[in-house]
Amino acid sequence: MGSTRSSFTGKLGFVLAAAGSAVGLGNIWRFPYLAAKYGGGIFLLVYVALSVTFGFSLMVAEIAIGRKTGKSAVQAFGDLDKRFSFLGLLASVVPILILPYYSVIGGWVTKYFVGFVSGSAQDMAVVESVQVGDKVELVSYFDKYTATVTEPLFWFAVFIGITALVVLFGVEKGIEKVSKVLMPVLIALTVFIACYSIFTIDGAWDGVAYYLKPDFSKFSIMTVVAAMGQLFYSMSLAMGIMITFGSYMKKDINIEKSAKQIELFDTGVAFLAGLMVVPAVFAFSGGDEKALGQGPGLMFVTLPRVFETMTGGTIIGAIFFLMVLLAALTSSISLMETIVSIFMDKFKLGRKMSCLVVLVISALLGVPSALGSSAWANVKILGMQFLDFFDFASNSILMPIVALITTIFVAYIIKPKAVIDEISLTGKFKWKKLFSVIICYVAPICILAILVSAILSAAKVISI
Ligand code: PFF
């Protein structure tokens, strides 16, 4: 690695860059479908509770490790203690698993954006009743689209192609500039669409209640498993990304404050996206559990229907999908950039070669995810389609493992004081006590419990 390590120009630069990586499909696509599926209000409550405790502690720890060592994840852990070099490698596997299926979904967004621009908005809102045997099933445009072989593949290629081009030419800076302007537009649009659907769609208020009022009878250990996986994913934790960001951070920037701002921003966008999607699905389906538990396609089925009822909905839909596309691109670019630099550092490859290798791996892992509802619909791993499997393997298994070992590493190897000292460089660390208690006791025990439940539930040993 070169001796000059670039750093962010100021506090805002760091927060915006980290937020640009954090805010993406995780907030707009993944959070709403999980909230709808896992009980609405109760999921929201668990998510927020985990975010201010675990999320905060892990985020400050990762940033501090990065800044202290000035290294990216692959080297940072090993630098602090040789026996933990493997942790950096393990953390690096996470982005490699995420990027391919992230790009498949990015491809769906690209397709919807192009569809809205080219005048197919009406078609995208269609949901038909189809007779299957003696049952009537609802089939959406999205179902038909993902059931084809060529389309999801084509749009996957377009999305990952754009990502690779940006990484190859190293023009992230330009993209980041654009995204800084567009991020506020995305937030404003989300608020507008949420208000529009709540105030104009019959029955949406019941959906708002479902989303905001915790119903404790809907609580299960799976709510916690899902919320914790989502937390890591959304805040780009337990995959070495925040360590890398920390390594670029100047010593005079307050880590505690920055972490709180990133969290607030990230959770705020997720909350608003939920408000935009969940009440609308609730209203369209009359609160039907099956519709609420629909999963990955939720946003792509519900939002076109909301846009269809709006005056000027086609234009608003087009702008909306463009914003989501850009948010997805800033995230996929930072994912790919991370992997490319790992390959460059570890295997001493040039940027071009490294990009090529990452593209080939992503194609190998992404193609099965793109074909999960068509050609390879019958191939299941642990009862899941490829996309769901990769999502589960990274979010519910690998990330908790990395998070668990990271907390043990901080608590018992380098000791919380190492992190606290780094954070205290810019003044008093206000949440010092809370941080120590969480990192030393609460987090290791809870993450272990969550991990075991996720594994047992996947193996169908227990049904939770
Ligand atoms: N946090 C991103 C999201 O919520 O969409 C996903 C992500 C982006 C993870 C970039 C990791 C990363 F490096």
Side-chain angles (χ1 to χ4, degrees):
M1 204 178 266
S3 55
T4 47
R5 200 162 183 85
S6 60
S7 52
F8 293 106
T9 37
K11 177 164 157 287
L12 199 62
F14 173 78
V15 172
L16 281 177
S21 155
V23 175
L25 293 171
N27 309 62
I28 305 159
W29 153 80
R30 200 170 187 273
F31 183 87
Y33 92 67
L34 289 179
K37 186 169 172 182
Y38 290 104
I42 189 71
F43 180 85
L44 193 61
L45 185 70
V46 171
Y47 184 84
V48 172
L50 290 177
S51 152
V52 294
T53 51
F54 287 10
F56 172 76
S57 305
L58 208 58
M59 170 129 16
V60 290
E62 289 198 9
I63 299 177
I65 289 176
R67 192 170 74 177
K68 196 177 169 62
T69 55
K71 300 271 169 62
S72 65
V74 212
Q75 288 158 322
F77 290 109
D79 244 34
L80 292 168
D81 188 310
K82 273 227 157 48
R83 291 167 301 168
F84 279 77
S85 305
F86 77 94
L87 186 53
L89 282 178
L90 198 62
S92 312
V93 177
V94 179
I96 298 177
L97 283 184
I98 293 183
L99 179 67
Y101 84 84
Y102 200 86
S103 303
V104 170
I105 300 150
W108 298 349
V109 176
T110 319
K111 153 89 189 172
Y112 272 63
F113 165 61
V114 172
F116 267 79
V117 171
S118 63
S120 320
Q122 299 277 331
D123 305 338
M124 295 183 149
V126 172
V127 178
E128 291 168 344
S129 314
V130 177
Q131 191 81 30
V132 182
D134 51 0
K135 272 191 283 169
V136 176
E137 277 188 8
L138 292 177
V139 177
S140 61
Y141 176 88
F142 179 76
D143 294 324
K144 287 190 182 164
Y145 157 69
T146 47
T148 64
V149 169
T150 45
E151 285 226 35
L153 272 186
F154 173 75
W155 293 108
F156 162 61
V158 170
F159 185 88
I160 200 146
I162 300 174
T163 307
L165 278 181
V166 175
V167 174
L168 190 61
F169 291 109
V171 288
E172 296 92 307
K173 287 278 164 320
I175 294 276
E176 251 159 41
K177 275 203 191 106
V178 177
S179 88
K180 273 172 212 163
V181 182
L182 294 172
M183 207 51 88
V185 182
L186 174 71
I187 295 177
L189 261 179
T190 312
V191 173
F192 170 74
I193 298 164
C195 289
Y196 180 89
S197 61
I198 292 168
F199 289 109
T200 62
I201 300 174
D202 271 352
W205 279 106
D206 293 335
V208 175
Y210 174 79
Y211 182 52
L212 296 182
K213 259 200 221 152
D215 173 354
F216 288 89
S217 70
K218 291 212 162 70
F219 179 84
S220 80
I221 187 79
M222 261 340 248
T223 319
V224 189
V225 174
M228 173 154 276
Q230 172 62 16
L231 181 74
F232 295 150
Y233 185 90
S234 186
M235 292 183 187
S236 309
L237 293 173
M239 49 179 115
I241 306 270
M242 284 298 158
I243 298 184
T244 307
F245 271 113
S247 71
Y248 294 129
M249 192 190 212
K250 284 192 175 155
K251 290 279 184 196
D252 59 351
I253 293 174
N254 188 319
I255 295 182
E256 183 178 15
K257 256 201 207 144
S258 305
K260 282 182 185 163
Q261 281 165 350
I262 299 167
E263 274 196 11
L264 195 70
F265 196 66
D266 191 69
T267 308
V269 176
F271 172 77
L272 290 172
L275 204 55
M276 172 176 73
V277 174
V278 181
V281 200
F282 197 93
F284 287 139
S285 68
D288 175 19
E289 297 247 328
K290 206 168 155 234
L292 287 166
Q294 209 173 83
L298 194 60
M299 178 179 108
F300 298 94
V301 178
T302 312
L303 287 184
R305 295 181 71 186
V306 174
F307 293 133
E308 196 194 22
T309 64
M310 275 182 188
T311 347
T314 307
I315 297 173
I316 294 169
I319 304 175
F320 176 79
F321 279 110
L322 177 65
M323 299 299 122
V324 178
L325 178 59
L326 289 166
L329 275 172
T330 53
S331 294
S332 67
I333 289 163
S334 84
L335 271 170
M336 192 184 263
E337 177 67 39
T338 309
I339 310 171
V340 165
S341 55
I342 292 171
F343 278 91
M344 285 167 65
D345 287 355
K346 268 272 139 192
F347 305 111
K348 308 278 174 272
L349 296 179
R351 179 167 274 269
K352 265 195 204 140
M353 194 57 198
S354 186
C355 264
L356 193 68
V357 173
V358 174
L359 255 184
V360 172
I361 297 177
S362 301
L364 287 177
L365 297 180
V367 168
S369 299
L371 300 181
S373 298
S374 55
W376 289 5
N378 294 326
V379 188
K380 299 253 158 82
I381 311 178
L382 296 172
M384 291 175 244
Q385 288 182 353
F386 281 101
L387 194 151
D388 297 330
F389 172 75
F390 284 125
D391 191 66
F392 175 81
S394 49
N395 289 274
S396 301
I397 308 288
L398 211 51
M399 278 143 88
I401 293 177
V402 173
L404 177 66
I405 308 177
T406 307
T407 53
I408 293 172
F409 177 75
V410 173
Y412 305 104
I413 306 293
I414 58 168
K415 306 271 177 343
K417 193 171 173 298
V419 167
I420 293 170
D421 287 348
E422 183 65 35
I423 297 174
S424 306
L425 286 179
T426 48
K428 198 167 175 274
F429 179 14
K430 292 196 201 94
W431 286 22
K432 190 162 91 180
K433 283 242 161 63
L434 180 80
F435 169 78
S436 302
V437 173
I438 290 176
I439 282 286
C440 293
Y441 310 107
V442 187
I445 297 171
C446 292
I447 299 175
L448 186 64
I450 291 167
L451 186 62
V452 172
S453 344
I455 294 173
L456 292 181
S457 99
K460 300 272 184 294
V461 177
I462 49 170
S463 76
I464 37 182

